[in-house]
Amino acid sequence: MALCAAAASTATAFASSRLSASTARPRGPSSTSLPSFVGAFPRAVAARRRRRAAAAAAARRAGVTVRAEAKKKSVVIVSTNSGGHAVIGFYFAKELLAAGHAVTVLTVGDEGSDKMKKPPFSLFSELTSAGGKTVWGDPADVGAAVGGAAFDVVLDNNGKDLDAVKPVADWAKSAGVGQFLFISSAGIYKPTEEPPHVEGDAVKESAGHVGVEKYIAEQFGSWASFRPQYMIGSGNNKDCEEWFFDRIVRNRPVPIPGNGMQLTNISHVRDLSRMLSLAVEKPGAASGKVFNCVSDRAVTLSGMAKLCAAAAGVAAVDIVLYDPAAAGVDAKKAFPFRNMHFYAEPRAAKEALGWTSSTNLPEDLKERYAEYAASGRGEKAMTFDLDDKILASVGKAPASVAV
Amino acid sequence: MAATASLKSSLLLPSPISDFSGAAISISAQKRRSSWQPRGARVQVSAAADSKNILVMGGTRFIGVFLSRILVKEGHQVTLFTRGKAPITQQLPGESDAEYAEFSSKVQHLKGDRQDFEFVKSSLAARGYDVVYDINGREAVEVEPIIDALPNLEQYIYCSSAGVYLKSDILPHCEVDAVDPKSRHKGKLETEKLLTSRGVNWTSIRPVYIYGPLNYNPVEEWFFHRLKAGRPIPIPGAGNQITQLGHVKDLARAFNLVLGNPKASQQIFNISGAKYVTFDGLARACAKAGGFPQPELVHYNPKDFDFGKKKAFPFRDQHFFASVEKAISELGWTPEFDLVEGLTDSYNLDFGRGTFRKAADFTTDDMILDKKLATV
């Protein structure tokens, strides 16, 4: 067990291309590179770990050494043209290019479409100047879009159901792609009163992503599925922290549904791209697995509002809690996060890939705020119709919450 | 009552570790010795090189009851330091007569008051111990005489508390996180500091809420009383506050795994369950464990009431849970009980047999329910 762990930690050190950037959250002495924890079925996990350790011991006796796989690969990322997941493929492409892999990003639709004026698409020169290829086309015919090129790895960062992903998977299989990766969603987990969602927990069988995961598991020997939640990071296509900044810089209250104690995962997208890169570097370790693609800390909704205020240099934030039904609003339209605990932990990535989280919300949000402030968005005229409706329904002066 | 209890037991989930079976212990012994023993070799535990002379401060009430059994089975010489107010040993439900006789014949008692620092120092110095498990220490000043008396102490294993973590909107609590110097558990923090400053080889364990048979803190018992009485369960706030329970047997196994473990030297480990639970979820899990119908949950705003000195709910009204990932990855420990299994174990071996520590007191419940009725 000790030697198996040493091999894993060597591989992690080899594969790691960055030191942790977080300064505000000191990390004590810990070996996060040791294989550890999957959680849902502890006795089965313990038994499996004993078997794996025994297999590693057998390999050592046979003189086989464990090495990180450092081969350069050619990767195609099928990218959505909008939405919160778009930024994942962008960061993943940048990381792969920096590591010397060959990358093609196939974005759905037309290069000339208005959607391409928004980030991360507007930043694609960062990919091409690093040697990446960007093409546009229809995921129903990937072969044509990539001009018949061959690839080792496919990441589908586009489809939400089998209708969208099947053509990509079928093309990949017929083209002899070795590894199929899929961006799924942590939204497929069945709600639970025992958080967090861990890999192996029950999912909603009717969810489109679930159908995709089942299909690629049947079709590919080497596949992995990644279930993200919310992300922050430059180049994001969808608002996240901006929603809070918009209100904070205008001295407006921040309306939050429920009691504000709902926990959620808001990760820096670099944590997600790091996980994907490790899966490419260690396909054997990633094979056949689902990974919660999130940082290893959750934050409460009220906590996020307070952190955004602190990042904006504001001493207090007016949080107004409300009941969406009583206020006559649809919480999905009025608020950018789910009105419930939506909390997953990245246990499989830590155990199988030796991945570690680097998200540090207090620090990361400062950087996000700097970009927000520089963009001039804070000075733009904005209307807050739903907020006003909520505040009117609540009818009381919001109390300041010290950050 | 007994007939009903046994009928309920047969309908409930099986208790995986309801007894102190040798199997569970040999797994942990194998894990700990795996770095220098060939895997698969049955580890022979004998009172030879690996056997330690262990002093447990406490050990007759809850955690120590289970821990001391594991230590004796591992072949160590175990002495319990207590005032003797509770029986030194008691046969546990599910423990065979033979097992109990074996344990009670081997475990030793040192009678004394740990607040009598002079006595602690002189009696410990006279006997000498290799390892101290401090299960009931609260203040640093209680620990000084122990360290003074045992200059050759190999390891001081301390039962701290996750209550030392500074309240945060970012969770779970991890061992590296900020602690609260003003918390009511600050004595635990001062103890950890003292151990460091004195150069002792220490290990600190931070449990969250501990549960299991013999629990003297009314955690699961609080719910079981209400479920048995067919009463609604009053829960403060929205009931979405997240807490975490850790089974005492899993905790005892963790305490055993740090013994003589170089990975545990000067280290802190959170020890609790693998998953967390909302207040509402916990009420429902207790119902499942005891074979009760799902209860009515009544939510209330605690600020609307003055409960005086009484506690209306057994948990802190906030999120409170800690990651146990460090212990899992570094000690090879895994929590064996999931929540419903663990609550079932507790119910089958304790409350379900008619035993409990605190009698039911529904005073605060009635205040809450009366007010709810009045506002309808």
Side-chain angles (χ1 to χ4, degrees):
Chain A
M1 182 90 163
L3 286 172
C4 172
S9 71
T10 308
T12 304
F14 184 90
S16 170
S17 59
R18 60 183 294 149
L19 297 168
S20 171
S22 51
T23 49
R25 187 178 58 169
R27 294 261 190 200
S30 72
S31 323
T32 47
S33 56
L34 288 170
S36 58
F37 183 71
V38 172
F41 301 103
R43 283 186 293 285
V45 167
R48 189 181 78 195
R49 195 180 310 122
R50 288 194 294 276
R51 285 196 295 276
R52 267 201 277 137
R60 287 194 303 277
R61 286 193 291 275
V64 174
T65 44
V66 175
R67 273 201 189 83
E69 288 148 82
K71 196 187 115 180
K72 296 309 167 202
K73 310 220 170 143
S74 95
V75 183
V76 60
I77 299 167
V78 179
S79 176
T80 177
N81 54 29
S82 71
H85 287 185
V87 68
I88 303 173
F90 180 62
Y91 273 70
F92 180 43
K94 287 200 288 183
E95 264 198 47
L96 290 170
L97 290 166
H101 300 291
V103 180
T104 297
V105 176
L106 161 55
T107 303
V108 174
D110 298 312
E111 187 174 1
S113 117
D114 276 346
K115 291 182 176 181
M116 295 301 106
K117 295 179 179 159
K118 291 182 67 178
F121 314 105
S122 53
L123 306 167
F124 269 10
S125 58
E126 290 182 36
L127 300 181
T128 50
S129 62
K133 282 203 179 84
T134 54
V135 299
W136 279 260
D138 186 346
D141 194 353
V142 177
V146 300
F151 297 92
D152 300 305
V153 183
V154 173
L155 170 68
D156 186 308
N157 185 27
N158 173 57
K160 296 180 183 168
D161 55 37
L162 208 44
D163 281 347
V165 183
K166 189 173 186 298
V168 179
D170 290 346
W171 162 80
K173 183 145 181 192
S174 66
V177 168
Q179 183 185 34
F180 195 95
L181 306 177
F182 176 57
I183 300 295
S184 177
S185 167
I188 63 176
Y189 284 110
K190 279 192 174 155
T192 177
E193 291 186 316
E194 288 186 50
H197 296 303
V198 299
E199 299 88 350
D201 284 357
V203 293
K204 299 172 209 164
E205 291 300 317
S206 60
H209 300 95
V210 174
V212 174
E213 288 178 353
K214 287 199 166 112
Y215 187 72
I216 62 176
E218 289 160 19
Q219 297 299 313
F220 294 93
S222 177
W223 67 274
S225 181
F226 298 83
R227 298 173 177 171
Q229 291 193 233
Y230 305 110
M231 281 148 272
I232 62 172
S234 186
N236 207 345
N237 188 264
K238 185 175 176 186
D239 279 355
C240 180
E241 69 280 15
E242 294 86 347
W243 188 90
F244 293 94
F245 291 150
D246 284 342
R247 284 145 183 84
I248 289 164
V249 302
R250 291 171 178 78
N251 271 314
R252 286 193 59 99
V254 176
I256 296 182
N259 66 355
M261 288 188 66
Q262 304 89 316
L263 274 162
T264 193
N265 288 88
I266 299 172
S267 317
H268 195 288
V269 61
R270 64 171 184 260
D271 267 355
L272 283 70
S273 59
R274 184 76 199 116
M275 202 185 285
L276 292 165
S277 294
L278 282 170
V280 170
E281 289 167 28
K282 308 181 193 182
S287 178
K289 295 194 173 78
V290 296
F291 295 97
N292 289 336
C293 205
V294 294
S295 71
D296 65 2
R297 305 292 188 122
V299 65
T300 62
L301 298 181
S302 290
M304 183 61 180
K306 289 188 243 171
L307 289 176
C308 287
V314 167
V317 58
D318 297 351
I319 292 175
V320 173
L321 302 175
Y322 68 97
D323 172 5
V329 298
D330 178 355
K332 290 197 187 104
K333 296 202 166 82
F335 191 69
F337 304 96
R338 289 183 185 205
N339 180 13
M340 58 193 290
H341 288 309
F342 181 33
Y343 170 23
E345 278 188 9
R347 296 184 185 180
K350 287 190 178 185
E351 198 211 351
L353 302 176
W355 171 91
T356 55
S357 177
S358 70
T359 297
N360 180 331
L361 276 184
E363 287 306 305
D364 293 335
L365 285 170
K366 283 186 192 152
E367 184 198 284
R368 300 306 312 129
Y369 180 72
E371 188 174 322
Y372 177 94
S375 73
R377 176 165 164 165
E379 282 79 55
K380 275 169 61 180
M382 280 181 74
T383 56
F384 296 86
D385 296 336
L386 284 174
D387 285 38
D388 291 335
K389 187 172 181 188
I390 291 162
L391 294 170
S393 80
V394 167
K396 55 175 178 164
S400 261
V401 177
V403 300
Chain B
M1 182 63 202
T4 317
S6 66
L7 176 65
K8 272 197 182 139
S9 314
S10 66
L11 296 170
L12 291 166
L13 298 171
S15 251
I17 311 183
S18 54
D19 310 320
F20 285 90
S21 58
I25 288 154
S26 66
I27 286 169
S28 65
Q30 263 195 320
K31 277 199 171 103
R32 197 152 51 76
R33 290 170 171 74
S34 64
S35 55
W36 66 87
Q37 294 256 359
R39 188 158 291 282
R42 176 119 189 119
V43 177
Q44 296 301 322
V45 178
S46 62
D50 277 317
S51 168
K52 303 286 179 196
N53 184 5
I54 297 178
L55 178 70
V56 178
M57 302 303 292
T60 58
R61 211 169 166 206
F62 188 33
I63 303 170
V65 166
F66 297 93
L67 173 61
S68 57
R69 275 165 172 72
I70 295 177
L71 296 173
V72 166
K73 272 214 167 112
E74 294 274 284
H76 302 296
Q77 186 177 306
V78 178
T79 303
L80 310 179
F81 184 112
T82 78
R83 292 170 299 170
K85 290 200 159 181
I88 312 313
T89 66
Q90 47 171 317
Q91 187 166 4
L92 298 177
E95 187 177 36
S96 72
D97 291 349
E99 278 180 320
Y100 177 59
E102 172 79 2
F103 169 70
S104 52
S105 69
K106 287 192 171 153
V107 77
Q108 301 181 33
H109 182 234
L110 172 50
K111 181 170 170 156
D113 185 342
R114 74 172 296 172
Q115 302 300 333
D116 181 350
F117 302 149
E118 279 311 310
F119 174 77
V120 168
K121 190 165 168 185
S122 57
S123 59
L124 268 52
R127 286 161 180 75
Y129 294 97
D130 302 321
V131 174
V132 170
Y133 274 95
D134 189 348
I135 302 300
N136 61 13
R138 287 191 201 281
E139 304 296 336
V141 68
E142 298 164 18
V143 173
E144 271 178 323
I146 300 174
I147 305 174
D148 289 343
L150 302 169
N152 299 319
L153 186 65
E154 292 172 21
Q155 190 177 13
Y156 197 103
I157 303 171
Y158 182 56
C159 187
S160 179
S161 167
V164 301
Y165 290 114
L166 184 64
K167 192 171 165 185
S168 177
D169 295 321
I170 295 176
L171 290 156
H173 294 301
C174 297
E175 290 84 350
V176 296
D177 287 358
V179 291
D180 182 1
K182 295 187 226 147
S183 97
R184 65 186 171 84
H185 297 281
K186 64 184 194 293
K188 306 277 193 187
L189 281 178
E190 321 243 329
T191 302
E192 288 171 356
K193 281 199 194 104
L194 173 74
L195 291 165
T196 309
S197 70
R198 295 290 298 268
V200 175
N201 174 27
W202 60 270
T203 302
S204 182
I205 302 286
R206 293 178 179 168
V208 187
Y209 288 106
I210 311 169
Y211 75 114
L214 301 186
N215 198 358
Y216 57 81
N217 189 10
V219 168
E220 66 270 52
E221 178 185 286
W222 188 90
F223 291 94
F224 289 148
H225 274 311
R226 283 145 185 82
L227 290 162
K228 182 171 172 196
R231 284 180 146 261
I233 314 258
I235 294 180
N240 68 343
Q241 302 90 316
I242 297 178
T243 189
Q244 182 184 18
L245 273 60
H247 199 286
V248 66
K249 291 174 194 172
D250 284 332
L251 177 59
R253 288 173 38 249
F255 268 115
N256 180 48
L257 279 173
V258 300
L259 177 62
N261 188 338
K263 290 232 167 84
S265 179
Q266 325 289 95
Q267 294 294 325
I268 296 165
F269 297 96
N270 296 332
I271 299 291
S272 193
K275 287 241 190 165
Y276 323 124
V277 64
T278 63
F279 286 175
D280 282 359
L282 180 54
R284 294 195 248 265
C286 287
K288 279 200 194 112
F292 297 104
Q294 283 300 312
E296 182 196 350
L297 306 183
V298 172
H299 296 105
Y300 64 96
N301 183 350
K303 295 196 179 123
D304 292 343
F305 300 88
D306 177 6
F307 297 122
K309 289 207 158 100
K310 287 189 186 275
K311 259 175 106 172
F313 193 70
F315 297 89
R316 296 165 173 73
D317 189 2
Q318 63 179 73
H319 290 316
F320 180 46
F321 55 95
S323 170
V324 297
E325 189 181 278
K326 181 183 173 186
I328 287 167
S329 67
E330 303 199 9
L331 302 175
W333 170 82
T334 45
E336 294 281 335
F337 286 95
D338 71 32
L339 184 61
V340 172
E341 279 177 346
L343 290 168
T344 304
D345 180 72
S346 179
Y347 185 82
N348 285 353
L349 298 176
D350 195 357
F351 194 92
R353 295 181 182 218
T355 52
F356 48 81
R357 310 294 95 65
K358 266 184 86 170
D361 178 354
F362 302 128
T363 313
T364 55
D365 298 52
D366 289 335
M367 289 169 69
I368 293 161
L369 295 170
D370 289 347
K371 188 164 180 137
K372 284 276 167 180
L373 277 173
T375 56
V376 163

